[in-house]
Amino acid sequence: MAESARALKSIDTVPHWINGARVAGNPHAWGEVYNPARGEVIARVALASREDTEAAISAAHAALPEWSATPAPKRARYIFKLKELIERDANKLAAMVTREHGKVLSDAMGSVKRGLEIVEFACGIPHLLKGEFSHQVGDGIDSHSLRLPVGVCAGITPFNFPAMVPMWMFPIAIACGNTFVLKPSEKDPSCSLMLAELLAEAGLPPGVLNVVQGDKVAVDTLLEDPRVGAVSFVGSTPIAKYVYETGAAHGKRVQALGGAKNHMVVLPDADIEQAADALVGAAYGSAGERCMAISVAVAVGDAGDRLRAALIPKIKALKVNDGTDTVAEMGPLITREHRDKVQAYIDSGAKEGAELVVDGRTHPLREKDQGFFLGPSLFDHAGADMSIYKEEIFGPVLTMLRADNFEDALKLVNEHEYGNGTAIFTRNGLAAREFSARVEAGMVGVNVPIPVPMAFHSFGGWKHSIFGDAAMHGEEGVRFYTRLKTITSRWPEGFADGADLNMPVM
Ligand code: NAD
């Protein structure tokens, strides 16, 4: 059997990874994994029962004492090894992203590299875990702080970045001395399994990283089990809110990142060609299935007509095809249901009175209806009361609104329910500075359409794009995955000096 055929065969059934081995478990049901470009089922995935999920938590719990006592530099060496192995297998990981998610191969590779950056960041964990020391805070008294592991941590991840988003979480968590149970999206589950196997190849002790494939049953078990100390979630806003509330009610710390509706404000003095190129990349890359996709353009003053004229030919020229086609720029959507939901938004936007300037419903691949394709769409003159503006569509649909001036544009962004990322395109430094300071969003780009922070900064939105107060990775990630302990010590000589019932003061 050829190598590639063997690789395909081996993922026909996607199992769990528990205690250092593939485990079939006793699934409460099976899920179907599609190749979205072909519309075909390519694998089935075990949806973990409560017992399967508890087995993963037990493995993580049993591995915790030894792993948390392992010196940080030694833990970091496993992460260094993981970095080498991901570099070796980056092509395989990217191919798997394309196969199960559908995004084009070059974009899939970009997402693997952005995940790898977090692994590189986690290699520096001994430095990041250093505490603080204060000498002589009182007479003969010193004070120092430690950052210690939380315990068993869980990660629940979305379909749109099946390699990168898990890598936002587990490398930092395990480098900090925690053990981990990852519950990836059941729509594209294989990358998580590949990453767990790479860590095993790196020599990571069994039980430190576990993967349970599954759905709500697995998530609820993770949220309720008292052995889980912290939960990281990335996904849609209603589930983020549910995970935050349920996890917190069970005494866990939770960081839950939700959906988005990212606006790009284009001022009249912007370079319109540059802004149009940026919009096309940010709106239609990954078929709009990015939490940092720009889905709204706010054109100020006379920028609107010029921007529209620049956008139309660029959108019409976009090459949509199977992500393995090396000239394709945009692939299909994740499932037929999701494609139909996005199409229903286009129907409703047209009915509500927005002008449908480019109609993705008429794309030849949509009409052929083999894979889950939809062409790129552009609305102009949309209103702030329309569902295509208010709700997250998560597809290749860009909605343009017109604003009279900077203040009106800023007000639109700030009054929106979501506040993940945003961008401004202008040549005016003062306007950009004002926008950055006053805009209600967690990540801001100035002439940068997708301002995804580097690994050593932190990723997180505002408003209904996040529940909980810790963003992902960077120092925020280290703080989330550690508990602070502050020790005050004194080594007195001679006789006891008698009881003092007053509050100690210096
Ligand atoms: P989703 O919320 O449907 O699923 C996310 C995870 O939650 C999956 O692992 C899924 O199995 C689980 N889940 C789904 N329904 C559940 C339920 N009822 N109870 C418990 N668990 C449940 O999200 P998705 O469709 O996989 O991903 C797309 C969404 O993720 C978009 O809204 C996008 O904006 C968001 N997202 C946000 C960020 C961010 O950083 N803010 C990053 C990527 C994606």
Side-chain angles (χ1 to χ4, degrees), residues 264-284 294 296-299 303 306-308 310-311 314 398 400 423-427 447-449:
M264 184 202 281
V265 172
V266 182
L267 296 187
D269 68 354
D271 179 324
I272 294 293
E273 278 299 311
Q274 236 178 49
D277 280 335
L279 268 173
V280 169
Y284 305 113
I294 294 286
V296 176
V298 184
R306 290 183 287 133
L307 190 60
R308 173 186 166 132
L311 279 170
K314 292 181 197 293
L398 176 63
M400 183 143 85
I424 186 165
F425 271 63
T426 180
R427 289 185 175 109
N447 299 316
V448 171

Side-chain angles (χ1 to χ4, degrees), residues 156-161 165 168 183-187 214-217 219-220 223 233-240 242-243 257-260 289-292 392 394 420 443 459-461 465-466 472:
I156 300 153
T157 55
F159 78 80
N160 64 324
F161 283 107
V165 171
W168 282 359
K183 205 301 286 170
S185 170
E186 64 277 35
K187 295 187 179 116
D215 56 9
K216 182 171 167 57
V217 173
V219 171
D220 285 346
L223 293 175
F233 173 89
V234 177
S236 62
T237 285
I239 310 298
Y242 167 77
V243 165
L257 275 56
E289 290 173 331
R290 287 183 185 141
C291 65
M292 289 294 274
E392 181 183 46
F394 220 55
N420 209 40
M443 294 167 280
F459 183 111
S465 295
I466 197 166
M472 297 271 163

Side-chain angles (χ1 to χ4, degrees), residues 1-15 22 42-44 96 99 190 193-194 197:
M1 202 186 301
E3 175 69 18
S4 58
R6 223 175 359 250
L8 295 187
K9 186 95 190 101
S10 70
I11 61 143
D12 280 351
T13 295
V14 189
R22 287 181 169 225
I42 48 170
R44 54 183 210 144
M96 185 57 80
R99 188 171 142 77
S190 299
L193 197 61
M194 290 170 77
E197 291 186 331

Side-chain angles (χ1 to χ4, degrees), residues 36 39 159 287 289 331-347 360-361 363-375 393-397:
F159 78 80
E289 290 173 331
L333 289 155
I334 182 77
T335 56
R336 184 177 303 280
E337 295 69 40
H338 187 55
R339 194 268 319 271
D340 292 348
K341 186 175 162 203
V342 174
Q343 181 159 321
Y345 272 111
I346 302 174
D347 300 341
R361 298 171 301 182
H363 193 280
L365 283 174
R366 168 65 191 95
E367 286 174 349
K368 205 166 160 203
D369 200 24
Q370 270 174 359
F372 310 139
F373 289 98
L374 192 60
I393 299 176
F394 220 55
V397 182

Side-chain angles (χ1 to χ4, degrees), residues 216-252:
K216 182 171 167 57
V217 173
V219 171
D220 285 346
T221 309
L222 291 168
L223 293 175
E224 288 162 16
D225 194 300
R227 293 170 295 176
V228 175
V231 177
S232 301
F233 173 89
V234 177
S236 62
T237 285
I239 310 298
K241 186 164 184 283
Y242 167 77
V243 165
Y244 178 73
E245 290 173 354
T246 312
H250 285 84
K252 304 177 197 321

